[in-house]
Amino acid sequence: MPERFDVIVVGAGAAGLMCAITAGQRGRRVLVLDHANKPGKKILMSGGGRCNFTNLDIEAEHFLSANPHFCKSALSRYTQWDFIALVASHSIPYHEKSDGQLFCDHSSKDILQMLLAEAGQAGVEVRLNTGVETPVQIPNGGWSVLTNKGELSADSVVIATGGPPIPTLGATDWGHRIARHFGHEILPYRPSLVPYTADLEHKATWSELSGVSMRAELTVASRSWVGDVLFTHRGLSGPAVLQITNYWREGEPVVINWCPDQDVLVAWQRDRHSQGRKQLRTWLSEQLPRRFVNGLMQGWPGAEQTLADIRQDAMAQLAEKLHRYSFQPSGTEGYRTAEVTLGGVSTTEISSRTMESQRHAGLFFIGEVLDVTGHLGGYNFQWAWSSGHAAGEVV
Ligand code: FDA
């Protein structure tokens, strides 16, 4: 006879653990399976090791999905305030970094330890190093789950296996394949919140700027974003770059305004007399990082001129380069470094209240595997907590 549980959750990540805790607290017998050797690996590496676990400002507009309304029900029933209260009840110190983003003061380990402690208290069992076959629906109700350690059965199976980013951590698209197997539509998915790679020409100049960080405005067809941009040896990274990749389409140029807070032509008109003897390079370096200015002016004829000497048309040319720089990324760093998957299991045949499949009773999908992707800033974890909680209340 297979070992019996009320609920089997596949995936001991953010969403899976939250679902298991919620169901366990309702008295359900819950087993969490994961093929990795440790639970919650992405939680541990998130937020630069300090886990940006939620955001003070959670609204549906911070999430992308083919159905923008899908996330609303779960987000409103388990909110950022619920998760913050849980964090506070474990006396975990945290702080707001910027734009409502909440980070642990010490370490992401605090969040994982909290979830594992809650799971333990709720009687949840976690089995690691466990490979799982495609679940089989039992004709008179329930599910059979074959693992490399034996056969199990449960009333409900919850797919919480996330997406393929960071395959070295054991990330897979197994959940997408399971959904397809059970007849769900899979929307095209790709790595997102991910650095851009540059072509050879840009790489040559930009690699000299590697490590320079500056405020810029990035624009693609459907969206603009202002924030920090970081030059890397491969291309461009930093919060504003990651954010815009949620909206970028392969092959599309990114228009960069390197000086979003003032119009350089207007500023030059203002200063050309009062600071006329100042070299243009020095003047620009007072507003932008010196290394960036040197890179920008390399080989540019007006580089050594003063504010008074430079001609209007030359200045207009420079302003164009600064305010409307068109960058054609050669691609992104892909799943190797992406933070999330954009796209995934279509929400069309998933209940927004419970996360249950409308095709197969007792089958649930939660977290990143679904076509719900948050902005950078704690939104993706909040989706994991909220969707996990929604399923945990009914499994
Ligand atoms: P998650 O990936 O957490 O868990 C899936 C689990 O399923 C894993 O334990 C995996 O081993 C397991 N699994 C996969 N395939 C399996 C299989 N075939 N069989 C058994 N088990 C399987 N978000 C945010 O809000 N704030 C932040 O600070 C960050 N920072 C961040 C940094 C980095 C480097 C990354 C890669 C990602 C982030 N994120 C983030 C995103 C966040 O980590 C992500 O959205 C959530 O972890 C998704 O939670 P899930 O539970 O859906 O998947």
Side-chain angles (χ1 to χ4, degrees):
M1 282 290 281
E3 208 179 344
R4 250 206 79 70
F5 293 86
D6 294 325
V7 186
I8 292 176
V9 179
V10 189
L17 289 172
M18 178 53 84
C19 175
I21 291 164
T22 312
Q25 287 170 344
R26 289 174 42 238
R28 305 292 280 160
R29 188 164 177 232
V30 185
L31 174 67
V32 182
L33 301 174
D34 203 299
H35 65 173
N37 59 353
K38 284 184 191 144
K41 286 189 180 184
K42 279 194 188 166
I43 297 174
L44 289 179
M45 79 179 301
S46 67
R50 296 215 169 143
C51 188
N52 176 196
F53 54 82
T54 192
N55 194 293
L56 294 175
D57 176 27
I58 299 286
E59 296 291 342
E61 71 202 37
H62 297 296
F63 296 85
L64 292 91
S65 171
N67 177 1
H69 303 293
F70 180 82
C71 62
K72 290 180 180 171
S73 170
L75 289 173
S76 68
R77 283 178 300 118
Y78 188 84
T79 68
Q80 67 274 40
W81 310 114
D82 293 314
F83 195 77
I84 293 166
L86 181 63
V87 169
S89 74
H90 283 253
S91 306
I92 296 173
Y94 65 90
H95 60 277
E96 181 186 350
K97 200 168 165 190
S98 59
D99 303 323
Q101 303 170 15
L102 299 188
F103 284 77
C104 295
D105 284 358
H106 301 315
S107 163
S108 308
K109 279 186 202 153
D110 289 347
I111 298 295
L112 183 58
Q113 275 164 8
M114 172 190 83
L115 293 170
L116 294 175
E118 289 282 326
Q121 262 170 28
V124 171
E125 191 185 334
V126 180
R127 290 187 194 164
L128 302 170
N129 299 306
T130 306
V132 185
E133 300 282 318
T134 304
V136 175
Q137 196 163 20
I138 302 166
N140 53 357
W143 292 82
S144 162
V145 177
L146 190 63
T147 74
N148 58 349
K149 294 178 179 166
E151 195 186 345
L152 311 165
S153 72
D155 295 339
S156 308
V157 173
V158 183
I159 308 299
T161 47
I166 327 276
T168 48
L169 292 186
T172 67
D173 64 357
W174 185 82
H176 301 80
R177 285 183 268 132
I178 294 300
R180 187 176 290 123
H181 174 86
F182 286 107
H184 282 273
E185 186 190 358
I186 309 299
L187 299 176
Y189 55 94
R190 60 178 171 87
S192 200
L193 300 184
V194 60
Y196 282 129
T197 51
D199 55 25
L200 282 177
E201 190 193 324
H202 275 98
K203 247 187 219 168
T205 26
W206 286 1
S207 67
E208 284 171 35
L209 300 181
S210 177
V212 171
S213 170
M214 62 193 284
R215 216 170 118 77
E217 179 184 43
L218 277 60
T219 302
V220 294
S222 61
R223 182 88 194 218
S224 287
W225 213 288
V226 181
D228 286 341
V229 167
L230 173 72
F231 290 90
T232 71
H233 284 291
R234 292 194 182 85
L236 287 182
S237 187
V241 169
L242 302 195
Q243 296 278 25
I244 209 75
T245 58
N246 261 346
Y247 294 91
W248 177 73
R249 296 285 164 268
E250 190 93 28
E252 194 185 349
V254 182
V255 177
I256 307 177
N257 180 353
W258 297 110
C259 189
D261 298 321
Q262 73 167 340
D263 184 321
V264 165
L265 261 188
V266 172
W268 171 68
Q269 297 281 11
R270 182 194 62 208
D271 294 345
R272 63 192 291 196
H273 301 300
S274 57
Q275 303 182 40
R277 293 175 66 185
K278 199 175 260 178
Q279 235 184 24
L280 185 62
R281 184 194 298 273
T282 312
W283 179 73
L284 276 175
S285 300
E286 286 164 5
Q287 305 158 61
L288 300 164
R290 178 173 289 278
R291 276 169 69 198
F292 171 81
V293 172
N294 287 340
L296 178 83
M297 296 203 139
Q298 231 170 43
W300 192 66
E304 306 312 322
Q305 288 187 292
T306 62
L307 292 196
D309 291 343
I310 189 108
R311 284 180 25 206
Q312 169 95 24
D313 57 344
M315 201 54 212
Q317 222 181 54
L318 184 73
E320 179 72 14
K321 208 169 161 185
L322 263 176
H323 290 306
R324 279 173 291 281
Y325 186 89
S326 181
F327 167 53
Q328 181 70 60
S330 65
T332 71
E333 291 189 7
Y335 287 124
R336 194 178 60 79
T337 62
E339 287 203 7
V340 286
T341 318
L342 185 72
V345 178
S346 165
T347 58
T348 314
E349 291 181 294
I350 306 284
S351 158
S352 62
R353 200 180 61 80
T354 64
M355 306 294 138
E356 186 172 13
S357 161
Q358 286 164 349
R359 298 181 72 92
H360 298 273
L363 181 66
F364 295 75
F365 294 89
I366 58 174
E368 186 177 332
V369 72
L370 285 168
D371 168 38
V372 176
T373 307
H375 290 168
L376 188 79
Y379 298 101
N380 286 296
F381 275 136
Q382 187 59 45
W383 172 244
W385 316 136
S386 297
S387 59
H389 192 269
E393 278 188 312
V394 295
V395 283

